[in-house]
Amino acid sequence: MAEKKYRVTWKHVDTGKDHVHVKEFTDIDQGYDFYQSVQRDAYCYKVTWDHI
């Protein structure tokens, strides 16, 4: 069985609108916790959570 992966992507005001940050996880809990923390960051926007 293939390992499930999760991806968090976001943009940050300091790096500009054309740069997308990406971080991938194999643990759903760890990935979702990171997703929620990035969502709460005042300098991050367009935060997404994807199953890949």
Side-chain angles (χ1 to χ4, degrees):
M1 184 173 173
E3 186 175 72
K4 291 186 179 184
K5 289 187 178 183
Y6 308 92
R7 178 183 297 146
V8 178
T9 60
W10 69 98
K11 293 185 178 190
H12 194 277
V13 295
D14 290 342
T15 56
K17 64 179 182 178
D18 295 329
H19 184 81
V20 177
H21 298 270
V22 178
K23 189 163 183 176
E24 293 183 357
F25 298 88
T26 55
D27 181 276
I28 190 170
D29 294 327
Q30 183 184 27
Y32 198 74
D33 287 346
F34 181 79
Y35 166 71
Q36 290 179 318
S37 71
V38 173
Q39 274 191 315
R40 289 189 295 266
D41 188 322
Y43 297 101
C44 295
Y45 62 100
K46 292 197 177 181
V47 183
T48 64
W49 165 257
D50 300 306
H51 299 255
I52 55 174

